[in-house]
Amino acid sequence: MALLRRVWFQIHWFIGITAGSVLVVIGLSGATLSFRAEITDLLNPIPAALAAPLAPPALLERLQAQSPGRRIASLTVFTEPGRPARVGFAPPPGERRGETRFVDAATGALLPDPVGEHFFEFVEELHRWLLLPRDDGKPITGSLAGLLLLFPLSSL
């Protein structure tokens, strides 16, 4: 009985150290991602609106004229004065995601990426796939979730 208890303790300890250390990284990166909008807004203050925003159809026309050959999949406009609109382009053939860009709602000009976007892309890849290629990272994070189910059972 004492031998079985020591074996289970070692299994419980191994699962806890292995899964726990990686899950700390996943938890901290997830907490960071939950404040993505607030941090991005803090790093990129909204300038005072100098001109009235274009109506969505006029904005779409200007965007399509600037980006010939690219299909616009979505356009998000905001009621807050001076806040840029967001345009989502359809993905090119063979890709899963299209590009998302911010647009000056008054002129229709594409804006540069906001400060902090590359950081949050890195954090999202860390959180979802542990910075591994997607096909390798998905089963690893899924296995860790399965280990979380075994962890309480090994403590019994």
Side-chain angles (χ1 to χ4, degrees):
M1 186 69 163
L3 177 64
L4 182 62
R5 184 177 172 156
R6 277 188 282 170
V7 168
W8 274 114
F9 176 79
Q10 290 298 317
I11 291 170
H12 178 78
W13 177 84
F14 178 74
I15 291 172
I17 292 296
T18 305
S21 58
V22 177
L23 289 170
V24 164
V25 171
I26 291 172
L28 290 174
S29 60
T32 304
L33 286 173
S34 68
F35 293 103
R36 180 180 193 158
E38 290 83 0
I39 293 170
T40 304
D41 287 346
L42 184 67
L43 293 174
N44 300 284
I46 298 170
L50 299 176
L54 294 171
L59 188 57
L60 276 173
E61 284 179 27
R62 289 223 182 144
L63 285 169
Q64 199 62 61
Q66 288 179 23
S67 307
R70 295 178 78 182
R71 190 172 65 83
I72 296 174
S74 66
L75 177 66
T76 306
V77 292
F78 300 96
T79 58
E80 187 177 341
R83 186 158 182 190
R86 185 173 40 230
V87 63
F89 292 102
E95 290 188 25
R96 297 178 118 179
R97 277 186 175 177
E99 182 183 17
T100 300
R101 296 281 303 268
F102 286 99
V103 179
D104 184 343
T107 64
L110 291 173
L111 300 173
D113 285 337
V115 174
E117 277 301 303
H118 296 293
F119 168 74
F120 283 109
E121 288 173 8
F122 170 82
V123 171
E124 187 171 357
E125 288 180 16
L126 174 65
H127 179 74
R128 295 181 76 185
W129 307 297
L130 302 173
L131 299 179
L132 297 169
R134 179 182 289 217
D135 293 336
D136 295 337
K138 273 176 106 172
I140 291 173
T141 54
S143 299
L144 286 170
L147 282 175
L148 273 179
L149 296 174
L150 291 177
F151 188 61
L153 295 175
S154 68
S155 67
L156 293 176

